[in-house]
Amino acid sequence: MTDQNTDQPTEPGDDEDFTPRRELLRQIDEALDAGDAARLEALLEPMHGADIADIIERLTPAERRKFLELYSIEMDGEILSEIDEAIRDEVIEALPKEVLAEAVREMDSDDVVDLVEDMDEGEREEILSALDDADRMAVEQSLTYPEYSAGRLMQSEVVTAPEHWTVGEAIDFLRAEDWLPEQFYHVILVDPRRHPVGYVALGRLLSAKRSVRLKDITEDSFRTISAYADEGDVAYAFNQYHLISAPVVDNDDRLVGVITIDDAMSVLDEEHEEDILRLAGVGDESAITDSVMETLWQRLPWLMINLVTAVVASLVIAIFEGTIQKIVALAVLMPIVASMGGNAGTQTLTVAVRALATKSLTGSNVWRVVRREAIVGLLNGLAFAVVMGIVAWIWFDGVNLAAVIAIAMVVNLCVAALAGILIPLGLEKAGADPALASGTFVTTVTDVVGFFAFLGLASAVLV
Amino acid sequence: MTDQNTDQPTEPGDDEDFTPRRELLRQIDEALDAGDAARLEALLEPMHGADIADIIERLTPAERRKFLELYSIEMDGEILSEIDEAIRDEVIEALPKEVLAEAVREMDSDDVVDLVEDMDEGEREEILSALDDADRMAVEQSLTYPEYSAGRLMQSEVVTAPEHWTVGEAIDFLRAEDWLPEQFYHVILVDPRRHPVGYVALGRLLSAKRSVRLKDITEDSFRTISAYADEGDVAYAFNQYHLISAPVVDNDDRLVGVITIDDAMSVLDEEHEEDILRLAGVGDESAITDSVMETLWQRLPWLMINLVTAVVASLVIAIFEGTIQKIVALAVLMPIVASMGGNAGTQTLTVAVRALATKSLTGSNVWRVVRREAIVGLLNGLAFAVVMGIVAWIWFDGVNLAAVIAIAMVVNLCVAALAGILIPLGLEKAGADPALASGTFVTTVTDVVGFFAFLGLASAVLV
């Protein structure tokens, strides 16, 4: 990648991964250590706000304080809107009031909403007072919609035209306006009551003759989004329909804003982050900038739940203490049955969670997928029953022991497959996030069933 | 969401999740059963190609054959480019040659590349022969770039203008052209040797006076992407810099195509899919449409690896058979130590894999994060040592046993934290995907260490 300010040749196989070069980071460290504000400014001058935000995030809290002292007057709306939530308060507090006010004035209304939505009344008022009346009202309007809704995601800066206009009229209008948003991709046609009736891509506007009516060059793919729609569904729609921007309407179907694809892309990214972290039993707010204590508090509750379920599995083992004392080989082999069940269950679970997230697992194919997972579970069970039966037979020279572990393996892998698909489906049906806690549920089931099947059979057959 | 063809009111809390309504799916089933092509066409007519593709994906193979028989002449480029790779061959084979040729002609060059890149020579030739010479050359040019590179992702349809043009000249040119791509968001300025030197957003082109020079209204954020750049890095750049489209250049810095944000969004989505599936030890090609045998073959290898590691852990237990025979409580408690280690390790691992994927874990903060994880591991270990010590003490009435499990817990949670961060870092450093196989490595380490620490200490102290 070459920036317009630089002149680096791009070569195949070049280590271009779009992250700031190590050399630059070293120079920034030096400037920080030397307290050299001018040097720091010069180093950061060619950089994109998003990269500057990343650098701020990677500093230690002490370095960050120093950075903000030296650089605070340069902080603008672009950098501020890119800063991770986890350290945003810290940054805002370090900024002089005038700098913060100026930065907020530069931001689009959706970025201001994102900035203030988690603040308390007092802080929020202070930030919003920097805006002029129209912008403040737009932000306050956005904040009336529920959290994680399209209404919070949209920006209120919209380019509209009456539906009866021609291309020439639209171009003259755009040339005369000086408040146009920085980025826009469509002109939205509205009727006299501000209901959106279609939109025209700027490319078509540019390539049509002045006399063409806007109505005749609207896009086929026109869709409006309710301000109350869930942001995850909005991201899905953008990805599914290759939307670039979409008008947002209120309950009366009146235009209230527009969502652009870059915001939808951020939501998609966040939703993935949540899924992957929740599947692993990590708080979905976790960030690489978190302190030791923040990290500890996110992880402890999940480990505590895991401890309880592990103790439940141990209680199952305890039932068969007598059997284990007689045949100690059971203690050696039992974790294998449990571990295989846990892994097979996690495989199914992950595929199910992912399919639910992408809406590819729905009413119309759910039973077919459950059936497939059950059959795969059975076949996996049979395969590993044979393998593990042979291993146990050779290892402990007992054909009965081999038969016991083989049967337990089939039982546990079938149960694992069913638990892996039915638990996330059940959570989804109950209105919960299928990624949340389902891993713990599934491994609890496979541990308990694994130990019970193996030790129970052993008690019945071998003792 | 309301389509322009429908007239449903949108209400807050409405169940608008952008997936086809169950009622519609039932009607489609009926039309399929009745073999009623006209009815099927009428039902699908208002639908977006992406939704039709989803419906085709959700059918059983038998239903799908029937569907394609009835609907094949309606299949267009839009539907075809949305069909999941897993069933694409099946669909292509079912289409009459003329329909396929027409569909391919409608597609943008990047979608054609996506369609043919995994085909063998003969099939590919057949598809490409449907294209006119210029389009075929564009596709063949794209195919010379490595798989998963920007060159494969780009479309060759680009709107350019000489850098010295005015707004008026550009608009006249656009009005005169009839080959313009369906969607474009920038006019790329090129010098006489076709090196891109900047780009103009269409919004600015529309709002500027005819006499303004294009050079004076270019975007600040202009970046070019090497055709050899990895598609994951391209997606990262779009997300990081809020790009809408970006010019792609060859080794001589000459413009060869353009990548648009919707393609970058798809890549981002796929990369997430890969991460989440690989973390769970599921083949990253897995799809909800896979058959039983395909699913089985994706999952068996990972379960086989897990079996080997589980046997290794069992060998550790086998060393201490004598001790377990004397104190059978050890067999009851040992899975708790291993399970807690496995969970804590997975937590750290997931955060690390995710941070590596988003480039937020890099050289500049890696040791700080390793240190944080180690301290969190120690603190978690101490917390659960106390809890589990008390549980073991009460349960088995042995203070020495309690001390042994407490110490083993501290050891295993510290090791889990270190393994969880160092293993993905090591895989990344070695050029491998940190998501791939690291889960198995980490749980192997925590199982082996957990059993060894607990049973080893018990043998030393209790017997």
Side-chain angles (χ1 to χ4, degrees):
Chain A
M1 157 167 290
T2 49
D3 218 285
Q4 65 177 358
N5 302 295
T6 66
D7 207 359
Q8 300 162 358
T10 45
E11 301 280 339
D14 188 4
D15 187 31
E16 294 201 316
D17 62 355
F18 301 97
T19 53
R21 294 282 180 289
R22 195 176 281 252
E23 173 57 19
L24 178 63
L25 294 173
R26 207 187 45 70
Q27 291 172 329
I28 291 172
D29 271 351
E30 276 178 14
L32 276 183
D33 288 342
D36 187 345
R39 174 111 185 90
L40 187 63
E41 246 171 70
L43 287 168
L44 298 179
E45 203 280 319
M47 290 183 69
H48 190 285
D51 288 332
I52 298 178
D54 281 352
I55 288 178
I56 297 173
E57 285 162 21
R58 274 173 218 160
L59 298 172
T60 63
E63 288 169 339
R64 194 142 55 222
R65 271 190 298 279
K66 196 150 184 189
F67 182 100
L68 290 169
E69 244 168 65
L70 294 175
Y71 195 70
S72 67
I73 55 160
E74 293 292 326
M75 291 286 287
D76 58 20
E78 191 177 47
I79 305 174
L80 198 59
S81 56
E82 298 285 348
I83 293 256
D84 195 273
E85 270 178 59
I87 58 160
R88 205 187 264 160
D89 286 349
E90 203 181 321
V91 172
I92 288 177
E93 273 164 38
L95 295 183
K97 279 206 187 343
E98 322 80 68
V99 173
L100 182 59
E102 181 55 35
V104 170
R105 272 195 294 270
E106 280 171 19
M107 289 160 78
D108 280 333
S109 69
D110 55 337
D111 291 327
V112 179
V113 169
D114 189 45
L115 185 73
V116 302
E117 63 183 351
D118 296 324
M119 291 182 174
D120 62 39
E121 200 60 41
E123 286 179 293
R124 186 186 286 185
E125 261 318 302
E126 207 181 303
I127 299 243
L128 294 188
S129 67
L131 298 176
D132 63 38
D133 285 355
D135 288 343
R136 199 180 59 237
M137 273 174 57
V139 171
E140 280 166 355
Q141 175 63 34
S142 237
L143 289 169
T144 63
Y145 296 108
E147 238 188 322
Y148 309 117
S149 69
R152 294 282 183 107
L153 207 59
M154 70 185 184
Q155 56 184 65
S156 55
E157 297 87 353
V158 196
V159 181
T160 59
E163 47 184 334
H164 56 79
W165 273 12
T166 61
V167 168
E169 284 173 297
I171 291 180
D172 293 341
F173 163 77
L174 292 172
R175 288 203 181 129
E177 287 297 323
D178 56 359
W179 60 268
L180 293 177
E182 235 177 280
Q183 299 282 347
F184 67 105
Y185 313 105
H186 291 98
V187 173
I188 301 171
L189 302 190
V190 290
D191 72 9
R193 289 184 305 162
R194 223 178 148 70
H195 297 164
V197 295
Y199 59 16
V200 177
L202 299 190
R204 302 202 67 175
L205 197 59
L206 273 165
S207 54
K209 304 244 174 298
R210 283 187 65 95
S211 58
V212 170
R213 291 161 64 88
L214 294 183
K215 224 185 249 175
D216 298 329
I217 52 170
T218 56
E219 296 290 289
D220 288 343
S221 69
F222 179 68
R223 283 159 193 272
T224 60
I225 289 176
S226 158
Y228 295 92
D230 175 73
E231 61 170 20
D233 288 336
V234 173
Y236 171 82
F238 270 81
N239 199 13
Q240 174 83 345
Y241 304 120
H242 304 278
L243 305 178
I244 295 298
S245 73
V248 179
V249 294
D250 65 14
N251 280 339
D252 301 322
D253 209 20
R254 239 177 283 228
L255 183 67
V256 289
V258 66
I259 294 175
T260 51
I261 187 172
D262 55 326
D263 295 319
M265 197 170 177
S266 299
V267 171
L268 192 76
D269 203 39
E270 279 162 30
E271 299 251 315
H272 283 300
E273 171 120 2
E274 262 178 41
D275 274 355
I276 209 166
L277 294 178
R278 285 184 173 173
L279 271 175
V282 189
D284 54 29
E285 298 282 288
S286 96
I288 205 76
T289 52
D290 288 343
S291 68
V292 165
M293 289 318 287
E294 285 165 335
T295 306
L296 193 66
W297 287 123
Q298 282 153 13
R299 304 210 190 148
L300 262 178
W302 291 103
L303 289 177
M304 194 65 224
I305 292 171
N306 183 62
L307 183 68
V308 172
T309 68
V311 168
V312 170
S314 288
L315 289 171
V316 174
I317 302 174
I319 301 174
F320 302 102
E321 268 185 80
T323 313
I324 293 172
Q325 197 139 31
K326 282 179 208 137
I327 313 164
V328 79
L330 297 177
V332 175
L333 293 175
M334 68 184 185
I336 297 177
V337 180
S339 161
M340 291 298 285
N343 266 268
T346 304
Q347 286 182 333
T348 305
L349 167 71
T350 305
V351 171
V353 165
R354 178 70 197 163
L356 285 168
T358 58
K359 301 188 198 285
S360 54
L361 182 58
T362 59
S364 65
N365 62 350
V366 63
W367 289 112
R368 198 157 70 248
V369 173
V370 170
R371 195 175 135 265
R372 179 189 77 182
E373 291 299 331
I375 298 174
V376 169
L378 179 65
L379 294 177
N380 268 332
L382 291 172
F384 288 106
V386 172
V387 175
M388 211 38 233
I390 293 170
V391 170
W393 193 357
I394 297 171
W395 191 353
F396 294 99
D397 194 21
V399 66
N400 287 343
L401 180 62
V404 165
I405 198 165
I407 296 171
M409 194 70 91
V410 175
V411 170
N412 207 25
L413 290 196
C414 285
V415 168
L418 288 173
I421 183 96
L422 295 177
I423 287 173
L425 280 173
L427 285 168
E428 167 99 350
K429 195 130 198 143
D433 180 344
L436 198 62
S438 47
T440 306
F441 283 142
V442 169
T443 50
T444 305
V445 170
T446 54
D447 277 357
V448 167
V449 171
F451 291 139
F452 201 91
F454 181 57
L455 298 176
L457 267 172
S459 299
V461 175
L462 303 180
V463 184
Chain B
M1 156 168 293
T2 49
D3 220 286
Q4 65 177 359
N5 302 297
T6 66
D7 208 357
Q8 300 162 358
T10 46
E11 300 281 337
D14 189 4
D15 188 31
E16 295 202 319
D17 62 354
F18 301 97
T19 54
R21 293 284 180 289
R22 195 175 281 252
E23 174 56 19
L24 178 63
L25 293 173
R26 207 187 44 70
Q27 291 172 330
I28 291 172
D29 271 352
E30 277 179 12
L32 275 183
D33 288 342
D36 186 345
R39 173 113 185 90
L40 187 62
E41 247 171 70
L43 286 169
L44 298 179
E45 203 282 317
M47 290 183 70
H48 190 284
D51 288 332
I52 299 179
D54 281 352
I55 287 178
I56 298 173
E57 285 161 21
R58 274 174 218 158
L59 298 173
T60 63
E63 289 169 340
R64 194 143 55 224
R65 271 191 298 279
K66 194 147 185 193
F67 182 100
L68 290 170
E69 246 169 63
L70 294 175
Y71 194 70
S72 68
I73 56 157
E74 294 292 325
M75 292 285 287
D76 59 19
E78 192 178 46
I79 305 174
L80 198 59
S81 56
E82 298 285 348
I83 295 257
D84 195 272
E85 270 177 58
I87 58 161
R88 205 188 262 159
D89 287 350
E90 202 181 319
V91 172
I92 287 177
E93 274 163 38
L95 294 184
K97 277 201 189 347
E98 325 78 68
V99 173
L100 182 59
E102 181 55 34
V104 170
R105 273 194 293 270
E106 279 171 19
M107 290 160 78
D108 280 332
S109 68
D110 54 337
D111 291 326
V112 179
V113 170
D114 189 46
L115 185 72
V116 302
E117 63 183 351
D118 296 324
M119 291 181 174
D120 62 40
E121 201 61 41
E123 286 180 293
R124 187 187 285 183
E125 260 320 301
E126 206 181 304
I127 299 243
L128 293 189
S129 66
L131 298 175
D132 62 39
D133 285 356
D135 287 343
R136 198 179 61 238
M137 273 175 57
V139 172
E140 281 166 355
Q141 174 62 32
S142 236
L143 288 169
T144 64
Y145 296 108
E147 236 188 324
Y148 310 117
S149 70
R152 293 283 182 106
L153 206 60
M154 70 185 185
Q155 56 184 66
S156 55
E157 297 87 353
V158 196
V159 181
T160 59
E163 47 184 334
H164 56 78
W165 273 12
T166 62
V167 168
E169 284 173 295
I171 291 180
D172 293 341
F173 163 77
L174 291 173
R175 288 206 180 126
E177 288 296 324
D178 57 358
W179 59 268
L180 292 177
E182 234 176 282
Q183 299 282 347
F184 67 106
Y185 313 104
H186 291 98
V187 173
I188 300 171
L189 303 190
V190 290
D191 71 10
R193 290 185 304 163
R194 223 178 146 69
H195 298 165
V197 294
Y199 60 15
V200 178
L202 298 189
R204 301 200 69 175
L205 197 59
L206 274 165
S207 53
K209 303 243 173 302
R210 283 185 67 92
S211 58
V212 171
R213 293 159 63 88
L214 294 182
K215 223 185 250 176
D216 298 329
I217 52 169
T218 56
E219 296 289 289
D220 286 344
S221 69
F222 179 67
R223 281 158 195 274
T224 61
I225 289 176
S226 159
Y228 295 92
D230 175 73
E231 62 171 20
D233 288 337
V234 173
Y236 171 82
F238 269 81
N239 200 13
Q240 172 84 345
Y241 303 120
H242 304 278
L243 305 178
I244 295 298
S245 73
V248 179
V249 294
D250 64 14
N251 280 339
D252 301 321
D253 209 21
R254 242 179 284 240
L255 184 68
V256 289
V258 67
I259 294 176
T260 51
I261 187 171
D262 54 326
D263 295 319
M265 198 170 177
S266 300
V267 171
L268 193 75
D269 203 39
E270 279 161 29
E271 299 251 314
H272 282 299
E273 171 120 2
E274 262 178 42
D275 273 356
I276 209 165
L277 294 178
R278 285 184 173 173
L279 271 175
V282 189
D284 52 30
E285 298 282 288
S286 96
I288 206 76
T289 52
D290 287 342
S291 69
V292 165
M293 290 317 287
E294 285 165 334
T295 307
L296 193 65
W297 286 124
Q298 281 153 15
R299 305 210 189 149
L300 263 178
W302 291 104
L303 290 177
M304 193 66 223
I305 291 170
N306 183 62
L307 183 68
V308 172
T309 68
V311 168
V312 170
S314 288
L315 289 172
V316 174
I317 301 174
I319 302 173
F320 302 103
E321 269 186 79
T323 312
I324 293 173
Q325 197 138 30
K326 281 181 209 138
I327 312 164
V328 79
L330 297 178
V332 175
L333 292 176
M334 68 185 185
I336 298 177
V337 179
S339 160
M340 290 299 284
N343 266 268
T346 304
Q347 287 182 333
T348 304
L349 167 71
T350 306
V351 171
V353 165
R354 176 71 197 165
L356 285 168
T358 57
K359 302 187 198 285
S360 54
L361 182 58
T362 58
S364 66
N365 62 351
V366 62
W367 287 112
R368 199 158 69 246
V369 174
V370 170
R371 193 175 137 265
R372 180 190 77 183
E373 291 298 331
I375 297 175
V376 169
L378 179 65
L379 294 177
N380 267 331
L382 291 172
F384 289 104
V386 171
V387 175
M388 209 38 234
I390 293 170
V391 170
W393 193 358
I394 295 171
W395 191 352
F396 294 98
D397 195 19
V399 65
N400 286 343
L401 180 62
V404 165
I405 199 166
I407 295 170
M409 193 69 92
V410 175
V411 170
N412 207 24
L413 291 196
C414 285
V415 168
L418 288 173
I421 184 95
L422 295 177
I423 287 173
L425 280 173
L427 285 168
E428 168 99 350
K429 195 130 199 144
D433 180 345
L436 198 63
S438 48
T440 306
F441 283 142
V442 169
T443 50
T444 305
V445 169
T446 54
D447 277 357
V448 167
V449 170
F451 291 138
F452 200 90
F454 180 58
L455 297 176
L457 266 172
S459 300
V461 174
L462 302 181
V463 184

Coordinates of all heavy atoms in Angstrom, one line a residue, chain A residues 230-269:
Chain A
D230 N -32.6 -4.1 14.6 CA -31.4 -4.5 15.3 C -30.2 -4.3 14.4 O -30.2 -4.6 13.2 CB -31.5 -6.0 15.7 CG -30.2 -6.4 16.4 OD1 -30.0 -6.0 17.5 OD2 -29.4 -7.2 15.8
E231 N -29.1 -3.7 15.0 CA -27.9 -3.4 14.2 C -27.3 -4.6 13.5 O -26.7 -4.6 12.5 CB -26.9 -2.6 15.0 CG -26.3 -3.3 16.2 CD -25.1 -2.6 16.8 OE1 -24.9 -1.4 16.6 OE2 -24.3 -3.3 17.5
G232 N -27.4 -5.8 14.2 CA -26.9 -7.0 13.6 C -27.7 -7.4 12.3 O -27.1 -7.8 11.4
D233 N -29.0 -7.2 12.4 CA -29.8 -7.4 11.2 C -29.5 -6.4 10.1 O -29.5 -6.8 8.9 CB -31.3 -7.4 11.5 CG -31.7 -8.6 12.3 OD1 -31.1 -9.6 12.3 OD2 -32.7 -8.5 13.0
V234 N -29.1 -5.2 10.5 CA -28.7 -4.2 9.5 C -27.4 -4.6 8.8 O -27.3 -4.6 7.5 CB -28.5 -2.8 10.1 CG1 -28.0 -1.8 9.2 CG2 -29.9 -2.3 10.7
A235 N -26.5 -5.1 9.6 CA -25.2 -5.5 9.0 C -25.4 -6.7 8.1 O -24.9 -6.8 7.0 CB -24.2 -5.9 10.1
Y236 N -26.3 -7.6 8.5 CA -26.6 -8.8 7.6 C -27.2 -8.3 6.3 O -26.8 -8.8 5.2 CB -27.7 -9.7 8.4 CG -28.2 -10.8 7.5 CD1 -27.5 -11.9 7.3 CD2 -29.5 -10.6 6.8 CE1 -28.0 -12.9 6.4 CE2 -30.0 -11.6 6.0 CZ -29.3 -12.7 5.8 OH -29.8 -13.7 5.0
A237 N -28.1 -7.3 6.3 CA -28.8 -6.9 5.1 C -27.7 -6.2 4.2 O -27.7 -6.4 3.0 CB -29.9 -5.9 5.4
F238 N -26.8 -5.4 4.7 CA -25.8 -4.8 3.9 C -24.9 -5.9 3.2 O -24.6 -5.8 2.0 CB -24.9 -3.9 4.7 CG -25.4 -2.5 4.8 CD1 -26.4 -2.1 5.7 CD2 -24.8 -1.5 3.9 CE1 -26.9 -0.8 5.7 CE2 -25.3 -0.2 4.0 CZ -26.3 0.2 4.8
N239 N -24.5 -6.9 4.0 CA -23.7 -8.0 3.5 C -24.4 -8.8 2.4 O -23.9 -9.2 1.4 CB -23.2 -8.8 4.7 CG -22.0 -9.6 4.3 OD1 -21.3 -9.4 3.3 ND2 -21.6 -10.6 5.1
Q240 N -25.7 -9.1 2.8 CA -26.5 -10.0 1.9 C -26.8 -9.3 0.6 O -26.7 -9.9 -0.5 CB -27.8 -10.3 2.6 CG -28.8 -11.1 1.8 CD -28.5 -12.6 1.8 OE1 -27.5 -13.1 2.2 NE2 -29.5 -13.4 1.4
Y241 N -27.2 -8.0 0.6 CA -27.7 -7.3 -0.6 C -26.7 -6.4 -1.2 O -27.0 -5.6 -2.1 CB -29.0 -6.6 -0.3 CG -30.0 -7.5 0.3 CD1 -30.6 -7.3 1.6 CD2 -30.5 -8.6 -0.4 CE1 -31.5 -8.1 2.1 CE2 -31.4 -9.5 0.1 CZ -31.9 -9.2 1.4 OH -32.9 -10.1 1.9
H242 N -25.4 -6.4 -0.7 CA -24.4 -5.6 -1.2 C -24.8 -4.1 -1.2 O -24.6 -3.4 -2.2 CB -24.0 -6.0 -2.6 CG -23.5 -7.4 -2.7 ND1 -22.2 -7.8 -2.3 CD2 -24.2 -8.6 -3.0 CE1 -22.1 -9.1 -2.4 NE2 -23.3 -9.6 -2.8
L243 N -25.4 -3.7 -0.2 CA -25.9 -2.3 -0.1 C -24.6 -1.4 0.2 O -23.7 -1.8 0.8 CB -26.9 -2.1 1.1 CG -28.1 -3.0 1.0 CD1 -29.0 -2.7 2.2 CD2 -28.9 -2.7 -0.3
I244 N -24.7 -0.2 -0.2 CA -23.6 0.8 0.1 C -24.2 1.8 1.1 O -23.5 2.2 2.0 CB -23.2 1.5 -1.2 CG1 -22.6 0.5 -2.2 CG2 -22.2 2.7 -0.9 CD1 -21.3 -0.1 -1.7
S245 N -25.4 2.2 0.9 CA -26.1 3.0 1.9 C -27.5 2.7 1.9 O -28.0 2.2 0.9 CB -25.8 4.5 1.7 OG -26.5 5.0 0.6
A246 N -28.2 2.9 3.0 CA -29.6 2.6 3.0 C -30.4 3.7 3.9 O -29.9 4.1 5.0 CB -29.9 1.2 3.6
P247 N -31.5 4.2 3.4 CA -32.3 5.2 4.2 C -32.9 4.5 5.4 O -33.4 3.4 5.4 CB -33.4 5.6 3.2 CG -33.2 4.9 1.9 CD -32.2 3.8 2.2
V248 N -32.9 5.3 6.5 CA -33.6 4.8 7.7 C -34.9 5.6 7.9 O -34.9 6.8 7.8 CB -32.6 5.0 8.9 CG1 -33.3 4.5 10.2 CG2 -31.3 4.3 8.7
V249 N -35.9 4.9 8.3 CA -37.2 5.5 8.4 C -37.8 5.3 9.8 O -37.5 4.3 10.5 CB -38.2 5.0 7.4 CG1 -37.8 5.4 6.0 CG2 -38.4 3.5 7.5
D250 N -38.6 6.2 10.3 CA -39.3 6.0 11.6 C -40.6 5.2 11.4 O -40.8 4.7 10.3 CB -39.5 7.4 12.2 CG -40.5 8.3 11.5 OD1 -41.2 7.7 10.6 OD2 -40.6 9.5 11.7
N251 N -41.4 5.2 12.5 CA -42.6 4.4 12.4 C -43.6 4.9 11.4 O -44.5 4.1 11.0 CB -43.3 4.4 13.8 CG -42.6 3.4 14.7 OD1 -41.9 2.5 14.2 ND2 -42.7 3.6 16.0
D252 N -43.5 6.2 11.0 CA -44.5 6.7 10.0 C -43.8 6.6 8.6 O -44.3 7.2 7.7 CB -44.8 8.1 10.3 CG -45.5 8.2 11.7 OD1 -46.2 7.3 12.0 OD2 -45.1 9.2 12.4
D253 N -42.7 5.8 8.5 CA -42.1 5.6 7.3 C -41.5 6.9 6.7 O -41.3 7.1 5.5 CB -43.1 5.0 6.2 CG -42.4 4.2 5.2 OD1 -41.3 3.7 5.5 OD2 -43.0 4.0 4.1
R254 N -41.2 7.8 7.6 CA -40.5 9.1 7.2 C -39.0 8.9 7.4 O -38.5 8.3 8.3 CB -41.0 10.2 8.1 CG -41.7 11.3 7.4 CD -42.2 12.3 8.3 NE -43.4 11.7 8.8 CZ -44.6 12.3 8.9 NH1 -44.8 13.4 8.7 NH2 -45.7 11.7 9.4
L255 N -38.3 9.5 6.4 CA -36.8 9.5 6.4 C -36.3 10.2 7.6 O -36.5 11.4 7.8 CB -36.3 10.1 5.1 CG -34.8 10.1 4.9 CD1 -34.4 8.7 4.6 CD2 -34.4 11.0 3.7
V256 N -35.4 9.5 8.4 CA -34.8 10.1 9.5 C -33.2 10.1 9.5 O -32.6 10.8 10.2 CB -35.2 9.5 10.9 CG1 -36.7 9.9 11.2 CG2 -35.0 8.0 10.9
G257 N -32.7 9.3 8.6 CA -31.2 9.3 8.5 C -30.8 8.3 7.4 O -31.6 7.7 6.7
V258 N -29.5 8.0 7.4 CA -29.0 7.1 6.4 C -27.8 6.3 7.1 O -27.1 6.8 7.9 CB -28.5 7.8 5.1 CG1 -27.3 8.7 5.5 CG2 -28.1 6.8 4.0
I259 N -27.8 5.0 6.8 CA -26.7 4.2 7.3 C -25.7 3.9 6.1 O -26.2 3.5 5.0 CB -27.2 2.9 7.9 CG1 -28.0 3.2 9.2 CG2 -26.0 1.9 8.3 CD1 -28.6 2.0 9.8
T260 N -24.4 4.0 6.3 CA -23.5 3.7 5.2 C -22.8 2.4 5.5 O -22.7 2.0 6.7 CB -22.5 4.8 5.0 OG1 -21.9 5.2 6.3 CG2 -23.2 6.1 4.5
I261 N -22.2 1.8 4.5 CA -21.7 0.4 4.6 C -20.5 0.3 5.6 O -20.3 -0.7 6.2 CB -21.3 -0.1 3.2 CG1 -20.9 -1.6 3.3 CG2 -20.2 0.7 2.6 CD1 -20.6 -2.3 2.0
D262 N -19.7 1.4 5.7 CA -18.6 1.3 6.6 C -19.0 1.1 8.0 O -18.4 0.4 8.8 CB -17.6 2.5 6.5 CG -18.3 3.9 6.7 OD1 -19.5 4.0 6.3 OD2 -17.7 4.8 7.2
D263 N -20.2 1.7 8.4 CA -20.7 1.5 9.8 C -21.2 0.1 9.9 O -21.1 -0.6 10.9 CB -21.8 2.5 10.1 CG -21.3 3.9 10.1 OD1 -20.2 4.1 10.7 OD2 -22.0 4.8 9.6
A264 N -21.9 -0.4 8.8 CA -22.4 -1.8 8.8 C -21.2 -2.8 8.9 O -21.3 -3.8 9.6 CB -23.2 -2.1 7.6
M265 N -20.1 -2.5 8.3 CA -18.9 -3.3 8.3 C -18.4 -3.4 9.8 O -18.0 -4.4 10.2 CB -17.9 -2.8 7.4 CG -16.8 -3.8 7.0 SD -15.8 -3.1 5.6 CE -14.5 -4.4 5.4
S266 N -18.4 -2.2 10.5 CA -17.9 -2.2 11.8 C -18.8 -3.1 12.7 O -18.3 -3.8 13.6 CB -17.9 -0.8 12.4 OG -17.1 0.0 11.7
V267 N -20.1 -3.0 12.5 CA -21.0 -3.8 13.3 C -20.8 -5.3 13.1 O -20.7 -6.1 14.0 CB -22.5 -3.5 13.0 CG1 -23.4 -4.5 13.6 CG2 -22.8 -2.1 13.4
L268 N -20.6 -5.7 11.8 CA -20.3 -7.1 11.4 C -19.1 -7.6 12.2 O -19.1 -8.6 12.8 CB -20.1 -7.2 9.9 CG -20.1 -8.6 9.3 CD1 -21.5 -9.1 9.2 CD2 -19.4 -8.6 7.9
D269 N -18.0 -6.7 12.2 CA -16.8 -7.0 12.9 C -17.0 -7.2 14.4 O -16.5 -8.2 15.0 CB -15.8 -5.9 12.6 CG -14.4 -6.3 12.8 OD1 -14.1 -7.4 12.3 OD2 -13.6 -5.5 13.3

